[in-house]
DNA sequence: TCCGGCCTCCCCCAAAAGGGGGAGGCCCCC
DNA sequence: GGGGGCCTCCCCCTTTTGGGGGAGGCCGGA
C-alpha cells in the first residue's frame, strides 16, 4: 500500500486529488496539508511514502517545504522513510523545475494531466523511479546533451595533444601551478613549461586561464567533481 | 496518424512491436528495418514520425544510426520531418543512455515495459515531449542536480565579493586578460588588478587559473555556453 | 638504418600577473 | 559630520608565465 500525502492550499483541489488516488486499491491518502509549514509537520507525523506537493502556497512554498522535508528525512537516516516528493503545479515550470530538482523532488507534473497519469506517476515514484512531465523531460535532455555535448568539436582539438600534454592540461584545469604540476607528474619544472607552451600553441590559447576554460568546455574537466579547497 | 518505423535485428521482436502499435487506431507502422544501415535507408524513404530503435544490431548500431538519421533530418531543414527517435533496448542502459541522448534520442525505454507504456511513449514523443524509463529519469535528475547543485557552499563564498568583483571574476572565467577586462568594463588596467587581487584574496585563490576553476565549480560560469574561439 | 615524434631538460628574455601600500572620490549609514 | 565600504587609479617590487631557441635520449615506422 502506497501511503500518500497531498499538499495544496486549495482544499477543493486537494480533495480532488485525494479522491482520485484513494480510488486505487493500492494507494491510500494518509494526510493532507494546506501550507508548507503544515506539510512539514504532517510529513513528520504520518510518514507518507509519497508527497504530492503544490508550489504556490501561503506561509511557505512547496519547494522550500520539499527541501526541508527531504533534508529531515535523510537526517533521520532511517531506512523506513525514503519519502519522495512529486511536484504538482499549474504554472509554467520553467522557473521552478530547476529548484525543484535541486530540492530533491522525484517528479514534476502539471495539473492538467489526466488522472491515470497522476496515478501512474505515484506508482512509478513509489517504485523508486522518477517521472517528469514530457516537456520537462525534453528540456532536461536537451540541457544535458548540450552540457555534455559541447565537447564534440573541442574534443577533436584535444586529440591533437600528446598524452603528456593532456595530462598537463588536466593539471592546469585543477588550478595547479607549473611547479605543482612538475611535482605531481614527477618531472622538472622546465619540462612542464615546455608542455604548457605546446598545449597553448596547439589549442590556440593564450594563457593557462584560457586553458582552464577550454578544459571545462570540452569536458576534460567537469563542474561538480572538484573540491575547491586549493 | 502517427507514422512509426520499427528497427530491430530480431524479426520476431520487430513484428511484436509492430502488431502492438498497429493495433492502435492512431498509430501506423510504415516501415521496419533490421540493421542501422537499413534504418537510415528506410527512414529516408518512408519519412516516419517516430522511430523505435534497438541498440544492438549488426552492421551499424542503433546509436550511430540515430545520430545519422537525425543529422540528415535537420540538414534537410524541411519542417515536414521532425522525425524523433525512441531507443528501445534490453540491456542496462547505463553505458548507452548518455550517447543516446547526445545522438538526439527523444526517448529511452527498456523492452520490459508493458505494451501500454510503449504506446504511451510513442504518443508522448510524437506530441513533442520526451519519455525516459523511470530509473533513467531518476539518474538524469540526480546528475543534473549534482552538476548544478555544487554551487551551494561555493556560492556563499561568492557572496563575499562586491558586484564589481563578481563582474571581474566572470570576465576572468571567460579567459580574458587584465587589459581585456579593463576594456570591457571601461576602467583602467590598474583598477582591474586591484579587483583581481581582492577576488583572489577573498576567495582564497592563488591565481586567475584557480579563479576560472572556482567560477565553473560554483556555477558562475557553465560549460556549454562558451565559444572557445578566444 | 635513419628520420620524426615524443619526452625530458637547459638557456635567455619580455610580458603578465600578483602583492603591498597609498590615495582620492563617492555614497550610505550611524 | 564622521566613519566605512566601494570604486577608481597610482607607485614599486617579486614571482610566474609564456615565447624562442637548443639539446639529448628513446622509440617506432619508413
Amino acid at each position: 500500500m502506497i501511503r500518500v500525502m497531498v499538499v495544496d492550499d486549495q482544499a477543493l483541489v486537494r480533495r480532488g486529488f485525494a479522491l482520485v488516488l484513494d480510488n486505487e486499491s493500492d494507494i491510500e491518502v494518509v494526510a493532507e496539508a494546506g501550507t508548507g509549514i503544515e506539510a512539514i509537520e504532517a510529513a513528520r507525523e504520518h510518514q507518507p511514502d509519497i508527497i504530492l506537493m503544490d508550489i504556490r502556497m501561503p506561509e511557505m512554498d512547496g519547494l522550500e517545504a520539499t527541501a526541508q522535508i527531504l533534508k529531515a528525512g535523510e537526517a533521520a537516516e532511517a531506512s523506513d522513510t525514503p519519502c519522495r516528493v512529486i511536484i504538482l503545479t499549474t504554472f509554467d515550470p520553467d522557473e521552478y523545475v530547476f529548484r525543484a530538482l535541486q530540492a530533491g523532488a522525484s517528479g514534476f507534473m502539471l495539473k492538467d494531466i489526466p488522472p491515470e497519469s497522476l496515478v501512474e506517476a505515484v506508482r512509478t515514484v513509489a517504485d523508486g523511479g522518477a517521472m517528469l512531465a514530457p516537456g520537462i523531460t525534453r528540456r532536461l535532455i536537451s540541457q544535458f546533451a548540450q552540457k555534455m555535448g559541447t565537447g564534440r568539436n573541442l574534443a577533436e582539438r584535444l586529440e591533437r595533444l600528446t598524452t603528456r600534454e593532456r595530462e598537463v592540461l588536466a593539471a592546469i584545469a585543477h588550478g595547479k601551478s607549473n611547479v605543482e604540476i612538475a611535482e605531481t607528474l614527477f618531472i622538472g619544472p622546465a619540462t612542464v613549461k615546455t608542455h604548457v607552451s605546446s598545449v597553448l600553441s596547439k589549442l590556440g590559447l593564450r594563457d593557462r586561464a584560457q586553458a582552464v576554460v577550454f578544459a571545462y568546455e570540452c569536458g576534460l574537466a567537469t563542474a561538480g567533481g572538484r573540491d575547491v579547497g586549493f
Side-chain angles (χ1 to χ4, degrees), chain A:
Chain A
M1 187 66 88
I2 304 172
R3 298 161 47 81
V4 177
M5 176 166 95
V6 179
V7 184
D8 197 306
D9 61 328
Q10 296 177 289
L12 210 56
V13 175
R14 222 157 61 212
R15 292 303 320 166
F17 291 157
L19 287 175
V20 167
L21 294 171
D22 257 335
N23 202 37
E24 301 295 316
S25 59
D26 57 339
I27 297 177
E28 177 187 17
V29 175
V30 297
E32 297 183 15
T35 73
I37 303 280
E38 285 177 32
I40 294 173
E41 181 65 29
R44 188 166 43 222
E45 186 177 344
H46 294 94
Q47 301 283 323
D49 301 314
I50 301 289
I51 302 177
L52 293 184
M53 179 80 75
D54 191 22
I55 292 183
R56 303 268 296 250
M57 287 184 297
E59 288 191 45
M60 178 189 292
D61 75 18
L63 300 177
E64 178 63 24
T66 298
Q68 291 206 20
I69 289 171
L70 294 180
K71 199 163 56 185
E74 75 188 28
E77 188 70 44
S79 57
D80 63 336
T81 321
C83 171
R84 300 184 181 285
V85 174
I86 300 173
I87 300 290
L88 252 185
T89 183
T90 308
F91 307 100
D92 179 49
D94 235 8
E95 51 179 322
Y96 295 122
V97 66
F98 171 77
R99 285 174 57 204
L101 297 185
Q102 236 183 7
S106 296
F108 199 114
M109 310 288 286
L110 298 179
K111 285 184 182 171
D112 63 4
I113 54 171
E116 315 86 72
S117 295
L118 176 61
V119 173
E120 188 194 349
V122 168
R123 292 207 182 96
T124 297
V125 172
D127 206 43
M131 177 145 303
L132 304 176
I136 295 177
T137 302
R138 165 154 295 280
R139 259 173 298 188
L140 200 64
I141 288 177
S142 75
Q143 284 208 30
F144 184 79
Q146 178 206 351
K147 200 162 289 295
M148 311 301 259
T150 319
R152 203 59 61 71
N153 44 359
L154 276 61
E156 289 169 14
R157 284 211 254 168
L158 248 189
E159 286 165 18
R160 284 204 268 279
L161 301 183
T162 68
T163 306
R164 208 46 159 174
E165 287 161 354
R166 267 192 295 273
E167 290 173 1
V168 170
L169 177 55
I172 291 176
H174 279 61
K176 291 187 199 280
S177 70
N178 288 341
V179 178
E180 288 169 342
I181 296 173
E183 287 166 356
T184 64
L185 294 183
F186 303 105
I187 56 179
T191 308
V192 175
K193 289 190 66 175
T194 306
H195 290 313
V196 171
S197 283
S198 46
V199 166
L200 296 181
S201 91
K202 281 187 181 179
L203 298 179
L205 308 173
R206 181 183 44 194
D207 52 45
R208 59 206 303 109
Q210 290 191 344
V212 176
V213 175
F214 182 92
Y216 273 93
E217 294 295 334
C218 80
L220 203 169
T222 62
R226 188 89 47 259
D227 286 345
V228 190
F230 293 122

